Amino acid sequence: MLASFVHGFLLALGLILPLGVQNVFVFNQGALQPKLRNALPVVITAALCDTLLLTLAILGVSVLILSVPLIKSILLVAGVLFLLYMGYVTWRSQPSDRQGREAESYSARKQITYALSVSLLNPHALMDTVGVIGTSSLSYSGTEKWIFALSCILVSWVWFFALALAGRFIGSLSSSDRFIRYLNKISACIIWASAVLMIYLW
């Protein structure tokens, strides 16, 4: 049982660590929101989406969904369009002071909508979850399989809370306005690069 927990933990950590659109968005909201609790909608939504995807991958349901070409094409088109828009919005974000940063922070509804989009409209994230987590889960059965699943889910929840907390710490520094501006530019480039990569690999 311990082996399945450690396996799931390390595997999920390896998949979630790279700087992607979802991570950038959670970190940004942690930095831009006036208080950490204001970033909870994006944290909880991202973690719930990961929980859903991981559960579907381990149950094998997501393999069936992504095997339908039309569904995969719709996800790709929607994902590319959304990423291009998100990159544009992020690039234009220019908070010059604390009030400016608060104005650039998203409402709870926007946080939830964008978090759903960057979590569920990314075919490559879905394929990674299916290909790596789903395939690895085949090594286990019964209780061990669910311990493996729970360890993967635990990583997601802890990671997103830690990411928002790190963003809030950076955002609370009085000299962080320049950092936030640079972060927005870098984030926009990462988002656009993800969209281009999706088109290239289509």
Side-chain angles (χ1 to χ4, degrees):
M1 288 189 185
L2 180 61
S4 62
F5 180 87
V6 172
H7 182 198
F9 186 90
L10 294 177
L11 199 59
L13 187 63
L15 285 177
I16 206 170
L17 277 176
L19 188 62
V21 180
Q22 190 184 42
N23 285 343
V24 166
F25 185 62
V26 173
F27 181 87
N28 270 358
Q29 285 306 297
L32 294 170
Q33 294 292 341
K35 294 182 178 178
L36 181 61
R37 68 170 179 265
N38 295 107
L40 287 180
V42 68
V43 171
I44 293 172
T45 303
L48 284 174
C49 286
D50 266 24
T51 300
L52 173 64
L53 293 177
L54 288 167
T55 303
L56 291 177
I58 290 168
L59 292 175
V61 177
S62 51
V63 177
L64 296 175
I65 294 173
L66 291 177
S67 64
V68 180
L70 179 60
I71 295 177
K72 189 175 179 181
S73 295
I74 291 172
L75 282 173
L76 278 166
V77 172
V80 167
L81 292 176
F82 180 78
L83 289 176
L84 291 174
Y85 171 73
M86 276 295 293
Y88 172 76
V89 171
T90 304
W91 182 273
R92 287 179 58 86
S93 296
Q94 293 288 343
S96 56
D97 54 26
R98 189 166 299 279
Q99 285 186 335
R101 270 190 271 147
E102 291 178 13
E104 292 291 344
S105 62
Y106 293 162
S107 66
R109 180 180 294 180
K110 271 190 175 183
Q111 286 184 55
I112 292 170
T113 301
Y114 286 177
L116 282 170
S117 301
V118 298
S119 300
L120 301 178
L121 293 180
N122 188 342
H124 293 108
L126 297 178
M127 294 304 291
D128 284 345
T129 305
V130 173
V132 180
I133 300 292
T135 303
S136 297
S137 70
L138 296 176
S139 304
Y140 305 103
S141 61
T143 304
E144 285 192 335
K145 188 166 198 168
W146 289 110
I147 289 176
F148 174 83
L150 288 174
S151 68
C152 293
I153 291 168
L154 177 65
V155 168
S156 290
W157 283 85
V158 172
W159 174 256
F160 290 126
F161 273 102
L163 206 55
L165 185 62
R168 180 81 294 273
F169 174 74
I170 295 296
S172 66
L173 300 177
S174 59
S175 60
S176 64
D177 293 320
R178 180 178 296 179
F179 174 82
I180 296 295
R181 285 198 296 272
Y182 288 138
L183 178 65
N184 284 339
K185 302 297 185 188
I186 294 170
S187 300
C189 290
I190 291 172
I191 292 170
W192 284 331
S194 298
V196 171
L197 185 62
M198 285 172 65
I199 295 170
Y200 177 74
L201 295 175
W202 191 342

